[in-house]
Amino acid sequence: MTVTLTQNDVSRAVSVATFHTLRCVLLGAMPKNNQDVKKRLDDTLAGYLSEVAAAKLLGLPWPQEHTLSWDGRDKGDLIMPDGQLIEVRGSLNPNARYLLGYKGDLPDRMYVMVTATPEQFEFKVQGWILGKDMMNESFWYDRVGGRPCYWVPFSELHDMATLGVRGSKG
């Protein structure tokens, strides 16, 4: 399902990404791989744009109150009305074919994958999967050398319509 973001959506995501990147710099929480501030801001912005797209599709507000918290507790990116936590994974590569999962991911959390054509503000919500299903050892690979993770093909994701969203992932 394709979601087109408005300039207002993008402006909100830029504001929150800037806030979080500044927080990381001030708290000394930049990654140890010498990622510079611009790269961190780019990655953070890509994540928040993906969250906005997923929230719009699901009819959820964004940013949610916890998005702006300073307490460091991981509450998920989005919270459904029933309390289900959703982690949004995004890629600014419109040709991406896999949702990436990691050993620290949570089995009871829902993971939603979003890909983007950023220059047109178009985001495609590919589908969702529960953490316990994502953590299938058949998906575990080290495709880039030294950074193994779960590579979940989009064909394994559930259609967003199963969450009460109108339309399909295709």
Side-chain angles (χ1 to χ4, degrees), residues 10 13 18 23 25 36-37 42 66 79 95 99 107 124 135-136 149:
V10 173
T18 302
R23 180 180 70 172
V25 170
D36 66 15
V37 174
D42 288 349
H66 70 274
I79 302 174
N95 298 314
L99 179 149
K124 188 169 184 181
M135 295 175 200
N136 181 324
C149 62

Side-chain angles (χ1 to χ4, degrees), residues 3 12 21 23 29 32 34 37 42 49 51 56 60 64 75-77 95 101 103 111 118 138 145 150 156 160 165 169:
V3 176
R12 286 184 297 136
T21 301
R23 180 180 70 172
K32 298 195 184 315
N34 295 322
V37 174
D42 288 349
L49 289 169
E51 283 183 31
K56 280 185 88 161
L60 298 173
Q64 293 189 332
K75 302 176 191 85
D77 297 329
N95 298 314
K103 284 288 187 188
Y111 294 84
S138 69
Y150 298 102
E156 296 292 324
M160 294 301 290
V165 175
K169 69 178 180 186

Side-chain angles (χ1 to χ4, degrees), residues 37-165:
V37 174
K38 182 188 179 318
K39 173 76 169 116
R40 175 67 181 243
L41 179 59
D42 288 349
D43 291 348
T44 302
L45 179 58
Y48 285 132
L49 289 169
S50 297
E51 283 183 31
V52 173
K56 280 185 88 161
L57 183 67
L58 293 167
L60 298 173
W62 195 94
Q64 293 189 332
E65 186 175 324
H66 70 274
T67 303
L68 301 175
S69 74
W70 284 77
D71 65 12
R73 290 181 290 152
D74 182 11
K75 302 176 191 85
D77 297 329
L78 301 173
I79 302 174
M80 295 287 281
D82 66 1
Q84 173 66 53
L85 298 176
I86 298 175
E87 181 84 23
V88 178
R89 299 280 161 89
S91 173
L92 295 184
N93 177 357
N95 298 314
R97 297 288 174 255
Y98 297 93
L99 179 149
L100 301 183
Y102 305 96
K103 284 288 187 188
D105 287 339
L106 302 173
D108 60 342
R109 188 161 293 180
M110 183 182 297
Y111 294 84
V112 171
M113 182 65 198
V114 178
T115 57
T117 307
E119 53 277 355
Q120 294 153 358
F121 300 126
E122 288 184 356
F123 291 75
K124 188 169 184 181
V125 182
Q126 300 290 342
W128 67 274
I129 191 168
L130 282 176
K132 66 180 180 174
D133 298 326
M134 175 178 66
M135 295 175 200
N136 181 324
E137 289 305 313
S138 69
F139 298 142
W140 186 253
Y141 297 104
D142 186 357
R143 294 180 183 222
V144 294
R147 296 186 309 182
C149 62
Y150 298 102
W151 293 75
V152 182
F154 291 171
S155 61
E156 296 292 324
L157 302 180
H158 300 284
D159 194 301
M160 294 301 290
T162 61
L163 298 177
V165 175

